[in-house]
Every structure is written in C-alpha cells, then in structure tokens.
Amino acid sequence: MAMTTRQRARLSKLIQIVVFFGVILAVVLQVDWKVLSEQFFAFDKLGPIFPDLLTIGLKNTVYYTAISFAFGLTLGLLLALMKMATFAPYRWFATGFIEFFRGIPAILVLITFGYGVPTAFPGTSWPQPVIVMVSLGLVSAAYIAETLRAGLQAVPKGQIEAARSLGMPAWRAMVTIVIPQAFKIVLPPLTNEIILLTKDSSLAFILGATAAQYEMTKFGRDGIASLGAGITPLIVAGALYLVITIPLSLIARKFESRSARTKR
Amino acid sequence: MTDNTNTPGTFKASGVDIRGLHKSYGDNEVLRGIDLEVKPGEVVCLIGPSGSGKSTLLRCVNLLEQPNAGTIHVGGFDATDLDVNLDKMRQKVGMVFQQFNLFPHLTVMQNCTVAQTKVLKRPAAKARAVASTNLGRVGLGDFGDRFPDQLSGGQQQRVAIARALSMDPTLMLFDEPTSALDPETVGEVLAIMRSLAKAGMTMLVVTHEMSFAKEVADRVIFMDGGVVVEQGPAKDVIGNPQQPRTQDFLKRVLDPTHVEIAE
C-alpha cells in the first residue's frame, strides 16, 4: 500500500522512538543494579581519597598540563617558523620532528624519558614533572607547530604587502599585522590542544612518583586497589577531567563563533 | 622640507624614473624593457589588456616585485640598489590595492595611525590628528571607530587611500583601485583620486576606467605584452590612438557589446 509523504514521516519517527527507548529499557532491565552501585558508584567509601584527589591530584593534572603546554607552545612556534624558513635544512628538521612526534604514541615518549634515558645514561634522573613536561611538550609541539603554521599562512598575503608598503620592516609586519590576525585563527585549535594535553597528562601514572607528584589518574588507579569501592575512584577522576575539559570546549566554541563573526 | 599634513590643498611631490626594466616569472617574461619617466605632480594612467604587465610594473616601483634588470629611481631613492633602505623609500610611496588590504583587526582610525606611530614614531596624538585630516579628506571623518568589515567596498578603498596619505607620501601608486568595487561605489573613489590629482600629487594609476583616464591623466600609457606600445596625452591615446593594438584594445573596452570574435 502506497503511503503519503506525511504518513512515511510519521512512521519513521515512530520507529526511531521505539528503537531509542527500547534499547534503553533493555539495558535497564539487563543491568545488575546492586553490583553496579557497589562497583561504580560506591561514593560512600571514597572518604580517604579526599581531599588529596583535589588538592594534589587535580592540582598536579592542571600543573603538568600547563607546563607541557607552555613548553609545547614555545617549541611549536619555533618549529612553525623553521618550517616556513627559506634555509632548507631548517625545513627538513622541522618536518622530520613533526612527522616523528605526531606519528608515535605519547606513552612511548614518556617511557623513553622516564625509564629509557635513566637506564641508558646512568646517573641522570629527572624529577617527574620535568619528564612529563619534556615528553608531552615534545609531542604537543609537533601538533602546535602545524596549527601555528597554518594560522600564520591563513593571513592573506595582501596584508603583508600592505604593511610593507607602509614602510614596515618584515618583523614589524609580522608582529603588528600578521600575528594578531593569526592568533584569532589558531585560538580554537590551540584550546583543543590543551584539552588533549589535559587527558594525556594522565599518562604520567606509569612513572614512579612520590605521593606529592600523583595526578588524578594515579589517585584513581591506586584507589581501586585500596578502597574496595570498585572502579568508583576512576569514575570520580573521569568526572574531574570533564570539569576541566568541558569549560575549555565551551571557550573554544565561543572563540570560533566570534572569529566567524569578525571575518571579512 | 615642509610638512604638508595639515594643508590638504597641496602636496610635496616626487617623480619616478624607470629605465630598461625587465621582469620574468620563470620563462614568462612579463616586462620586456620598460622606460618610463613620471614628473613630480604628474598623473599617469597605465592601461592595457590583462596580462600586459601594467600591475607588475606598478608593483616594481615600490619593490613588491623584484625586477630582473633595469633601474628605478623614486624620489631620491635608487630602488634597485641592493643597499637602499626599502622601508624608508616605501614610507614615501603610497600604495592602494585592488583588494583594499585594510587591516581587519584594527579600526579605521588605527589603520591610519599604526604605521605612523610604529614606523615614523609619531606621537599618538599627532598620528590621530594626521589620520583625522586624511579621513576627512576622503569624506569619512566620522568613521574612525568602525572596523573595515562594517564599511562598503567604496568606503574601504577610501580608508585605504587615507591610510596611505597619512604617511605623507610624495608619490601614490594605484593598482586597479576600482576593479573590485560595486559599480555604484566606483564614483566616490574616483572623485577622491581626482581631488588628489588636482592637489598636485604624483600618481601612477593602473586602471580600466577610460573616462577617468581621459579626464584626469596628464599622460596615458598603453602597454601590451610587457612593452609600452603607445603613450601621450590622454586625448590622443584614448581619443585618437595610432597603433593598431591600441585601437583594437580601446574598441573592446569602450564598446564591449560590438566586439567581433576573430576566427
């Protein structure tokens, strides 16, 4: 029997509703709520993890992210400028660096600096924050370099020509005309990079650390073993990551809509 | 040297002297030996088909393009000397682009003051005064707080002219200044250029506006294939061209509805 367009739309909507709530109902009926609440949501047993999870863990997560980003941004800017250099070996080096560190897992870099380097060069032992900063900084620098290069090159060539025509030296045109415009372009992707770094800072849990150096994932993982609350500590740590990353996402989106509005 | 910033009536003008200019992009020779002298205060219009090299010639004058051979003298500077202070020279050469190239992150006022304060090291108050004078000259005295994207194309191009004038140039280069404009805003930009010509500014203008060239230019230069084909007073070159290439070009430009396609 042929259906009208309206009938077909109604049927389609009905099917979507049935599937959506059907799946939810099936999950609700299948789950063993008692086990779930003991293993996932045993918040009452979390007492011992506070306030250290916040005062040490959250603080260290933010701290590791911040120093890694600062190092990555500095190195990334240097690499971006090298990639645009007229002297070819600079470009080769930057390209090699970027492809290498974008292509390998961050955890390998962390293991290399955390365990490999001290083994290969006995006597060298960096404090954990330095290992994290160098490892994650190197990796994020590769991504940031590409972001910054794209941003600088996205500023139209006519802007530089206009600036130079007014008698500005090349560096002045870069500082006063190009970089402020590129900055607006790269703010959203740089904010995303901070979000990625925030999550990657959790990799520090594989390093041996003193209690004062624990970040949130380490707290969560140790909490699984010691508290008898199932994976509840990890759930709480995960929620705290969201507390950091969701506002960053909102900020990035705000930058995006603002730069879209001021676009010519 | 007299300061002309507060006397909108007159300009201290300089000339241009171009000899044997060649420019190639790879195998493509765009300029094949150009000789051109522009006297102080003279208004010269460059016309010709697209690809004839007229924009390249204009961009060579302030070294936005690097010529392969030949010399360019601009207001006491030897532009093709490798030891010349290009930044100093460019301060004296105003450039107006087809696409305006206003700085979108700066207000109209800041567009007109940024090079004054950063390059000429003028105090902010003086720079603002100069900018106001020139914005007034182009009829946009009340637009200082706007951003470029809040202006029409014609208004943006007038700001670009005011920005260039704020550096007290002794020569102005115009690279197809009305080609990117909506037809109804072309007139306001041409009016500003006409007033600059009257005030004695040396102007080198690449344009397709034949009636403007005829009315304002002291001399019209027709270029084709990288060489100067014909030049002379506007009324002769546009009104009574001698060379077949000039005649053909003008026929196409002045009466585009009756162009015949050759087999």
Side-chain angles (χ1 to χ4, degrees):
Chain A
M1 189 181 68
M3 287 192 297
T4 66
T5 307
R6 179 170 297 158
Q7 284 172 330
R8 217 177 294 134
R10 272 189 197 146
L11 182 66
S12 158
K13 192 159 193 185
L14 186 69
I15 293 174
Q16 289 180 48
I17 292 172
V18 167
V19 169
F20 183 78
F21 289 103
V23 168
I24 290 181
L25 194 66
V27 170
V28 166
L29 291 177
Q30 279 298 312
V31 165
D32 183 336
W33 288 99
K34 190 170 171 300
V35 173
L36 187 74
S37 67
E38 281 170 4
Q39 295 299 313
F40 282 57
F41 303 113
F43 299 116
D44 51 317
K45 294 182 183 164
L46 286 185
I49 211 174
F50 288 104
D52 289 358
L53 176 63
L54 297 175
T55 55
I56 298 174
L58 182 62
K59 187 207 81 180
N60 279 336
T61 290
V62 172
Y63 172 59
Y64 292 162
T65 304
I67 57 176
S68 302
F69 182 70
F71 181 56
L73 188 63
T74 311
L75 188 60
L77 180 61
L78 191 67
L79 286 166
L81 294 174
M82 283 174 84
K83 190 130 197 216
M84 294 190 295
T86 48
F87 186 55
Y90 282 150
R91 291 202 304 274
W92 300 336
F93 176 83
T95 305
F97 182 101
I98 290 165
E99 294 306 328
F100 182 78
F101 281 103
R102 279 203 308 189
I104 60 172
I107 197 164
L108 292 191
V109 185
L110 212 62
I111 292 171
T112 302
F113 283 101
Y115 298 110
V117 172
T119 313
F121 304 95
T124 54
S125 86
W126 291 345
Q128 197 204 15
V130 175
I131 296 170
V132 174
M133 179 184 82
V134 171
S135 307
L136 298 185
L138 287 173
V139 174
S140 69
Y143 288 94
I144 290 173
E146 284 294 272
T147 300
L148 294 181
R149 184 188 57 80
L152 290 171
Q153 289 180 344
V155 176
K157 208 164 156 260
Q159 293 290 307
I160 299 172
E161 290 186 349
R164 300 303 306 272
S165 294
L166 289 165
M168 291 188 196
W171 69 267
R172 168 58 73 189
M174 190 54 119
V175 169
T176 308
I177 304 301
V178 177
I179 288 179
Q181 294 184 54
F183 187 65
K184 272 186 191 158
I185 299 170
V186 300
L187 264 182
L190 277 189
T191 313
N192 282 332
E193 185 57 36
I194 300 179
I195 291 173
L196 293 178
L197 264 177
T198 305
K199 297 185 298 171
D200 278 355
S201 70
S202 66
L203 296 174
F205 88 90
I206 62 154
L207 300 172
T210 66
Q213 293 170 336
Y214 281 20
E215 42 66 59
M216 294 198 298
T217 301
K218 184 86 171 171
F219 268 102
R221 198 162 164 277
D222 286 7
I224 294 176
S226 62
L227 295 177
I231 65 163
T232 310
L234 276 190
I235 303 260
V236 173
L240 287 174
Y241 281 105
L242 292 178
V243 167
I244 302 172
T245 56
I246 289 177
L248 284 172
S249 275
L250 295 176
I251 291 171
R253 203 171 306 160
K254 205 176 158 202
F255 284 142
E256 247 157 33
S257 62
R258 185 189 301 169
S259 66
R261 202 168 58 240
T262 58
K263 213 168 196 168
R264 298 190 288 167
Chain B
M1 204 163 83
T2 55
D3 190 325
N4 62 31
T5 50
N6 293 317
T7 52
T10 55
F11 292 106
K12 182 185 172 297
S14 64
V16 183
D17 191 11
I18 298 169
R19 305 245 174 239
L21 198 70
H22 286 261
K23 172 68 187 174
S24 305
Y25 297 103
D27 292 338
N28 181 19
E29 193 172 19
V30 184
L31 298 178
R32 306 161 180 258
I34 302 280
D35 296 303
L36 171 63
E37 196 186 338
V38 182
K39 293 185 198 70
E42 193 179 19
V43 177
V44 173
C45 284
L46 294 167
I47 64 170
S50 60
S52 59
K54 51 198 194 307
S55 279
T56 306
L57 172 62
L58 195 77
R59 290 163 58 84
C60 278
V61 173
N62 71 350
L63 267 281
L64 284 180
E65 304 289 343
Q66 181 75 44
N68 299 102
T71 59
I72 304 169
H73 284 85
V74 180
F77 290 93
D78 181 353
T80 43
D81 180 355
L82 287 176
D83 291 324
V84 74
N85 186 335
L86 267 187
D87 298 329
K88 272 266 181 315
M89 186 196 92
R90 285 176 174 144
Q91 291 165 24
K92 289 288 155 197
V93 181
M95 179 89 178
V96 176
F97 298 88
Q98 182 178 350
Q99 298 295 341
F100 331 134
N101 293 347
L102 292 180
F103 306 132
H105 61 304
L106 302 179
T107 63
V108 164
M109 176 58 80
Q110 288 166 336
N111 264 276
C112 296
T113 56
V114 63
Q116 291 188 68
T117 54
K118 304 288 186 196
V119 178
L120 300 179
K121 307 292 177 198
R122 282 181 183 155
K126 157 91 171 162
R128 272 198 303 277
V130 172
S132 290
T133 303
N134 286 304
L135 284 171
R137 187 201 286 269
V138 300
L140 295 173
D142 298 331
F143 286 67
D145 294 333
R146 308 262 188 113
F147 281 90
D149 65 351
Q150 298 170 311
L151 304 181
S152 72
Q155 290 169 331
Q156 289 190 48
Q157 193 61 297
R158 283 148 70 192
V159 172
I161 293 172
R163 176 176 70 176
L165 289 176
S166 295
M167 298 296 284
D168 297 334
T170 58
L171 162 72
M172 287 283 285
L173 307 174
F174 293 85
D175 188 6
E176 301 198 29
T178 59
S179 295
L181 296 179
D182 293 330
E184 72 268 24
T185 64
V186 168
E188 61 195 59
V189 172
L190 292 180
I192 303 295
M193 292 169 62
R194 198 176 289 126
S195 77
L196 289 181
K198 277 211 185 85
M201 175 62 80
T202 313
M203 291 165 60
L204 199 49
V205 186
V206 173
T207 186
H208 293 293
E209 300 287 338
M210 292 305 145
S211 53
F212 172 82
K214 210 166 169 179
E215 178 203 331
V216 178
D218 298 306
R219 189 154 42 110
V220 170
I221 292 175
F222 174 71
M223 284 179 68
D224 193 11
V227 295
V228 173
V229 175
E230 185 168 356
Q231 63 169 308
K235 65 178 192 331
D236 294 347
V237 175
I238 296 175
N240 184 23
Q242 301 301 308
Q243 298 292 327
R245 278 197 278 179
T246 321
Q247 291 165 354
D248 185 53
F249 170 75
L250 285 168
K251 203 161 77 188
R252 288 164 185 272
V253 173
L254 296 175
D255 193 8
T257 52
H258 291 96
V259 171
E260 287 162 22
I261 307 289
E263 286 297 317

